[in-house]
Each structure stands twice: as C-alpha cells, then as structure tokens.
Amino acid sequence: VVLKFYIDKSISDQFIQIQKTRTEFKGDWTVVLFPLLRFSRKSLEETAHELGACIVENIEYISSFNVVKGFLNLEFSDKFWFDVLQFSFSRDFEANESKGKNVVVEFSSPNTNKPLHLGHLRNILLGHAISNILEADGNVVKRVQIINDRGIHICKSMLAWVKFGNGETPLSSGLKGDFFVGKYYIIFEKKYQEEQAKLVKQGNSIEEAKLKSNLLDEAKEMLQKWESGDSEIINLWNTMNTWVYDGFNETYKKLGISFDKNYYESDTYLVGKKHILKGLEKGVFFTESDSSIWIDLTDVGLDKKILLRSDGTAVYMTQDVGTAILRHQEFEFDQMIYTVGNEQNYHFDVLFKILDKMGLKWSSNLFHLSYGMVSLPEGKMKSREGTVVDIDDLICDMHKKAKDIMLKSDKGFDATDLGNDDFKNQLSTTIGDAALKYFILKTDAKKNMLFHPEESIDFNGHTGPFIQYTYARIQSILRSAKNMSLVFQVDRKMSVEEKQLIQLILDYPVIINQASTKLNPSILANYLYSLAKSYNHFYHKNRILNLKNKNDINFRVTVSKKVSNLIANGMNLLGIGVPEKM
C-alpha cells in the first residue's frame, strides 16, 4: 500500500517485487526497484531513498532501510517479530484458507503378481505426502489407487502356481501373500527362460523360441479363459488376488497409508471399452483392417495409439480412459493428480489428449506428477529376475540399522530407556521409518535418486533422525520447564538466533502453500531440516533454562515450543512420526 501511495495508486501488483533479503546484506525483506522507475520518473538513487524514508515513516514495524544497487533492503523491528511469534500460536496461523477445491490423488497402483518394492515406495511416499500437504493448504483430497489385477503378467503367476505349486498356500509356506504370489511370477520367468534356451539349443532363433513357447501359449490361453469368464480360472484369480491384497494391506499399515477408494482394472477396462466404442460411433476413433480400434494424434504431435486389439481385448490405455471417467463421475474433481514414474510421461500425454478429443472438458484438470527413478548403490532392480528390494525387507533392515546405531550412538540415549525392550523396539521403528521416508522425500521428485541406507540414518546429517532428535531435545526442555507460561516478548534486543528462528516460523504457512502449489513435498522436507538446524544453532548459542530472568526463560521456551509444534506437524504431513524421548 505504501509503495502504491509513494509511486502511483494505479500501479499493478506485477510491478511490485518483494523478496527475502540475501544473507550477505542487512535487512529482512527487499524491494526490487528497477520495475518501479517507470512510475517514479526519478533516478534509482532518488527513488530508493525517498521510498525507503516513506516506508519507515508510515510503517511502525520497519525500523531502517539500506540501498544496495537496485535493491531496497528493509529491516523490521523486534516488535514485529514478537508479534509474529504471538500470531504463530493463533488458530489461524497454520491452517491455510479453505480453497473449496476437490482434488483426487492417485498413487501406489500396484500389479497383483508381485510385492510392493523400492520403486513403489517413492510413489507411495510422494502420493501420501502430497495428499496431506494439499489438505493442509485448504483442499479436499481423496486418495485412490488403481490395482492392475488383470493381464498376461497376472496369468503367468497363476499358471506357475497351477503347474509347480503342489497346492501350497501362503499359510503353509509361511510367506506373506504378495511375496508368495511374486515367487510364482519369478518361477514362471525362470521356467520360460529355460524353455527358450532349450529351443535355441535345438536350432531355433530367439524369436522363434518365443513363438514356440508352450508355457507362454498356456498363459495366453488362461488369459482368454479369464476374459471369457471361465469359472475355474476366475476362482483361482480371486483366490490368488486375495492373498496379494492381504500382503499389500500389511505393507500399507507399516507405512501408515490408507486409501479412500480402490479401483480395479478388471472393472474399469470394461467402462473404457464402452466409451471407446461410443467414441468410434462419433468418429473420434477409427478401425483398422484387422478390426482393431485406434486414435490418430499426429495432429497434436503424438502418434497413432491402439485402444482395442483386433480380438476386442483392451490395452492399458483403455482402462485408464475408463478409470478417469469413473472418478470424475464419482468425485466431480477440480483436479486429478496421477503419481506415476517418468517412464510413463508419454502415456499420460496420450491419455489426456484422448480424453480431450472425446470432448471431456475436465481433461484439462488432469496432471501427471512425474517422478524420477530410485535405485540402490548395487544398481537397478529387476522383478522378473527376483532382484528387487521389497518394501517390507527394506523397512525391516532400516529398523535393525536404527537399533544398532541407537546402542552405539554418542547422542546420549538414556540407558534406562534403552534397557526397556518395548521402548527400544518402538524407538528403532520410529527412527528407521523416518530415515527411509525423509531421505526419499527430501529429493525433488523430478530427479532420479540413489538411496543410501547408512547415510539416511546419520543423526548429524541432513536426515529424518536429525530432525527427530531436535524435536526430542525440545521435548526434554519443555519437561524441565515446569509451570512455564507463554511469553511473546522480552525487554531487551532480540538475539540473532531468536530472530532467525521466528523468521523461519513465519515461513511455515508459505512453505505449505509452495509445496502444495508445486506438488513438491521436498520443499517442506528441506524447510523442516533448516528449522531443526537453526534451532540447534540457537540451542548452542543461547542459554534457555539457566537464566536469572524468568521472563527470558519463558520467552525462549515459548520459541522452542513453537518450533517443536511445527516440526511435529510438518513431519506428520510427510508421514513421519516424532518421538517424545530419544
């Protein structure tokens, strides 16, 4: 308002640029002067000093200003920061304004022929975190997944169990349901490779060996029987899928994940087929000579895409069309976000354009949250060869690593607490989960990443356990500060570290909005690390409880309490717990 008063009341907001002052300069916020010169019609120096004087005179919170080239740096008074701290405890501070926007977030979406593995983990953690952040930013969110429960890959594990399973079950084998079914998918691939090798040895080329494979022919025949509704095959399919779902649910429970609705490809592909046939009648799609149905997207820079095969069977795109239509009918969303790896970028370009060509106006509200691949130092994972790292095994390994580090750590874990097995097991679970989840979420989703288990659990590094340790440290202070009362200001100049913390506290709602708008949980994750790091700096530079002035004690405890609240709330949005004691 003051900027407009000084320069021109009619000036558009786009010309007013305000940013945080760079750390090497004195000040809190900086006004960029260059866009304003056309309105002030004065030199840069005159504009800077007149505007700075006008702001200091009219805004009591601003105590001084300085000019560095084309930038006006404003320094805010301690009173402003005291008031910010007080406001941060109000009900309105953390709750971003309701946007009245309905958002559907799809994530996980596994196949029912193998367990959830490290590749799924990044998907699940991203989808869960962004759902929470969107809600915190005032949106109404529905969490959904599409379970890929049909197709040749499903029949491969079914056929292998029929041929080589000898009637064993997850219960009789002692294996978790999804691990059990995944074992038979690997067995199929192993037997299939052995069959091909034998045919090649007999003089066939690799391509000829694939065509002559009896095992693959049997799997295709099983798929045809499934699509025709053969009762025996359907019963087997239901039984094996139930085993897998039981296994998935165990894993989701460990991760603290739940969904508002599950969709199944075995249902949605039928909806997709119905709408593809309607689109064919309207001329959106065309038929090839073999009776397959296609769409031509060359006019928008894409290729031709098959939607129904010549035998009438569906492809992945068919079920995705059906799923999108079902979801819009059920949720009337304002936005739908697909959390899917970047190897599917082209698929979603095609899907969104198909829906647009079908005349569905809401197709413009679809968004692909594309993320990079995650791998281990050992290299890529291959599910067909059984070299994947399953989520359950990874979680278990992280819990063990956390327990080992706790017992050897110099962080001052209480020996009495560690002597309690329940406490020790619970704490190692909480720390191990944080190490795993935070390490994955702190990296920008668009980037490929390498997961280092040892690095993720370093209590002194940029890790979840470091943030947890900071939270637990504050809880110890709060327990020691008996009968404390909230105090929002002191009769002295604020210390540099106090001011830095309150500045970060003020950033929290903005960070939530940025992470929500950009669909990027790493923005929140990295903010929480900065907050924890800044608090530890404050802790080492300032006495908190051992002070003569009780008002000073209460003020610093109040700042500490707010920091711990934000750490707990922010980590919870990322799906990570914080322990009261460490």
Side-chain angles (χ1 to χ4, degrees):
V1 172
V2 172
L3 286 171
K4 290 187 176 185
F5 170 78
Y6 167 71
I7 294 175
D8 184 341
K9 291 181 181 179
S10 63
I11 183 175
S12 170
D13 288 348
Q14 71 184 76
F15 295 104
I16 300 175
Q17 298 177 21
I18 301 175
Q19 59 196 33
K20 278 193 170 184
T21 303
R22 290 167 57 176
T23 53
E24 62 265 37
F25 300 117
K26 184 180 180 182
D28 299 310
W29 276 285
T30 296
V31 179
V32 182
L33 296 170
F34 300 109
L36 306 178
L37 298 181
R38 69 172 72 181
F39 301 98
S40 69
R41 296 182 177 85
K42 295 179 180 179
S43 70
L44 181 62
E45 188 173 345
E46 283 182 292
T47 301
H49 285 90
E50 287 183 10
L51 178 57
C54 182
I55 290 174
V56 170
E57 182 181 345
N58 286 278
I59 301 179
E60 63 170 325
Y61 279 139
I62 298 177
S63 57
S64 65
F65 72 90
N66 65 85
V67 181
V68 179
K69 297 182 179 178
F71 302 95
L72 174 64
N73 301 321
L74 306 173
E75 186 169 10
F76 282 63
S77 66
D78 282 357
K79 183 181 186 318
F80 173 77
W81 297 112
F82 291 144
D83 286 354
V84 164
L85 178 63
Q86 183 168 2
F87 173 64
S88 74
F89 279 87
S90 71
R91 183 177 297 178
D92 296 334
F93 176 71
E94 290 180 43
N96 287 1
E97 186 177 348
S98 173
K99 295 172 175 55
K101 183 177 174 183
N102 295 320
V103 184
V104 173
V105 181
E106 175 193 291
F107 59 102
S108 189
S109 302
N111 297 327
T112 58
N113 65 322
K114 54 190 174 185
L116 297 163
H117 55 65
L118 179 58
H120 291 113
L121 183 61
R122 192 176 199 190
N123 181 307
I124 292 168
L125 296 181
L126 281 171
H128 180 63
I130 205 60
S131 297
N132 293 341
I133 291 168
L134 283 164
E135 281 184 331
D137 196 37
N139 300 283
V140 177
V141 179
K142 295 295 181 182
R143 299 157 176 81
V144 301
Q145 64 172 332
I146 175 73
I147 297 175
N148 300 297
D149 63 343
R150 62 174 287 276
I152 190 67
H153 53 295
I154 308 300
C155 289
K156 287 178 179 179
S157 54
M158 290 166 57
L159 179 64
W161 183 80
V162 169
K163 294 179 74 70
F164 312 113
N166 297 316
E168 77 166 339
T169 65
L171 185 62
S172 67
S173 66
L175 283 175
K176 192 163 161 279
D178 50 339
F179 279 56
F180 179 80
V181 173
K183 179 180 83 167
Y184 282 96
Y185 180 67
I186 294 168
I187 288 173
F188 177 92
E189 291 298 332
K190 183 180 177 183
K191 297 290 185 182
Y192 179 46
Q193 295 297 329
E194 289 173 358
E195 185 185 46
Q196 285 185 69
K198 190 174 181 180
L199 288 166
V200 169
K201 198 172 182 180
Q202 293 171 359
N204 294 282
S205 68
I206 294 176
E207 290 304 315
E208 287 172 335
K210 288 179 180 179
L211 292 172
K212 291 181 179 180
S213 168
N214 290 326
L215 204 57
L216 188 58
D217 285 344
E218 288 183 74
K220 290 177 180 177
E221 183 182 351
M222 183 175 277
L223 178 59
Q224 289 171 349
K225 286 182 178 180
W226 181 90
E227 294 204 358
S228 66
D230 182 284
S231 60
E232 185 178 345
I233 298 301
I234 295 295
N235 287 337
L236 172 62
W237 173 75
N238 281 323
T239 297
M240 293 187 72
N241 275 351
T242 299
W243 291 339
V244 174
Y245 299 147
D246 289 343
F248 286 171
N249 289 335
E250 281 187 49
T251 306
Y252 289 143
K253 186 175 181 181
K254 289 177 187 175
L255 292 171
I257 304 296
S258 62
F259 297 92
D260 296 297
K261 175 128 189 196
N262 293 328
Y263 291 85
Y264 299 89
E265 187 185 348
S266 53
D267 297 325
T268 63
Y269 90 101
L270 295 171
V271 177
K273 284 180 73 171
K274 181 179 74 173
H275 284 276
I276 297 302
L277 293 173
K278 282 184 180 178
L280 181 64
E281 293 174 6
K282 296 178 180 178
V284 178
F285 310 114
F286 69 92
T287 307
E288 284 283 13
S289 57
D290 64 352
S291 298
S292 58
I293 298 177
W294 296 68
I295 187 169
D296 186 353
L297 298 174
T298 54
D299 62 322
V300 291
L302 302 172
D303 297 322
K304 294 179 180 178
K305 179 66 181 177
I306 188 170
L307 296 166
L308 288 175
R309 299 186 187 95
S310 57
D311 60 1
T313 55
V315 295
Y316 271 118
M317 192 63 72
T318 316
Q319 68 93 0
D320 277 348
V321 167
T323 306
I325 292 171
L326 274 176
R327 286 174 181 164
H328 191 261
Q329 289 173 348
E330 293 178 25
F331 295 114
E332 295 185 354
F333 55 75
D334 298 299
Q335 184 180 30
M336 180 159 70
I337 298 163
Y338 294 85
T339 312
V340 183
N342 57 17
E343 77 279 8
Q344 295 294 327
N345 286 352
Y346 184 78
H347 174 88
F348 284 98
D349 287 344
V350 171
L351 172 63
F352 299 165
K353 189 52 66 177
I354 288 172
L355 294 168
D356 178 50
K357 293 265 188 183
M358 291 172 71
L360 301 170
K361 294 180 180 179
W362 49 262
S363 63
S364 60
N365 298 328
L366 305 178
F367 180 80
H368 175 205
L369 177 53
S370 173
Y371 61 88
M373 295 297 99
V374 56
S375 57
L376 290 164
E378 300 90 281
K380 287 187 175 182
M381 303 177 295
K382 298 178 181 178
S383 58
R384 291 183 180 183
E385 298 173 11
T387 59
V388 298
V389 178
D390 298 310
I391 292 178
D392 298 84
D393 293 338
L394 189 57
I395 290 173
C396 183
D397 185 54
M398 292 305 300
H399 293 171
K400 288 178 181 176
K401 279 183 168 59
K403 188 178 290 187
D404 289 343
I405 289 174
M406 281 164 46
L407 296 174
K408 299 173 184 175
S409 175
D410 62 353
K411 283 292 183 182
F413 288 98
D414 190 288
T416 303
D417 289 334
L418 292 183
N420 182 318
D421 285 340
D422 287 342
F423 175 86
K424 185 165 55 181
N425 292 335
Q426 181 58 52
L427 184 56
S428 62
T429 296
T430 304
I431 293 172
D433 287 346
L436 179 61
K437 293 177 179 180
Y438 184 85
F439 197 90
I440 288 175
L441 290 172
K442 74 176 182 179
T443 303
D444 190 310
K446 296 182 181 66
K447 298 179 180 178
N448 292 334
M449 66 168 293
L450 201 62
F451 176 68
H452 290 278
E454 285 74 20
E455 185 181 331
S456 74
I457 210 164
D458 181 0
F459 282 94
N460 297 309
H462 182 179
T463 65
F466 170 78
I467 298 171
Q468 288 180 316
Y469 186 79
T470 303
Y471 176 83
R473 165 175 277 169
I474 297 174
Q475 298 317 295
S476 177
I477 292 170
L478 296 179
R479 286 191 293 272
S480 298
K482 296 177 181 178
N483 302 318
M484 68 85 66
S485 57
L486 294 178
V487 169
F488 304 114
Q489 66 182 62
V490 286
D491 296 324
R492 59 167 172 80
K493 185 171 176 58
M494 189 179 290
S495 75
V496 172
E497 295 78 25
E498 289 168 338
K499 180 177 174 180
Q500 286 174 342
L501 274 178
I502 298 173
Q503 285 175 326
L504 282 169
I505 288 168
L506 179 59
D507 286 344
Y508 183 82
V510 178
I511 290 294
I512 295 298
N513 179 253
Q514 288 177 351
S516 169
T517 303
K518 297 180 180 180
L519 299 177
N520 188 355
S522 72
I523 294 172
L524 174 59
N526 286 283
Y527 163 81
L528 293 172
Y529 173 69
S530 296
L531 183 62
K533 189 177 178 182
S534 184
Y535 183 83
N536 280 282
H537 181 62
F538 158 78
Y539 176 84
H540 290 296
K541 289 281 187 179
N542 299 269
R543 286 184 295 173
I544 299 176
L545 299 176
N546 188 22
L547 294 167
K548 293 181 180 179
N549 188 317
K550 188 175 181 181
N551 202 55
D552 262 359
I553 294 174
N554 283 335
F555 176 72
R556 287 183 174 170
V557 171
T558 299
V559 173
S560 300
K561 183 179 179 65
K562 189 63 203 182
V563 169
S564 75
N565 289 348
L566 295 185
I567 287 175
N569 294 347
M571 291 287 268
N572 181 60
L573 293 180
L574 297 178
I576 301 172
V578 285
E580 296 296 310
K581 295 178 71 177
M582 282 179 75

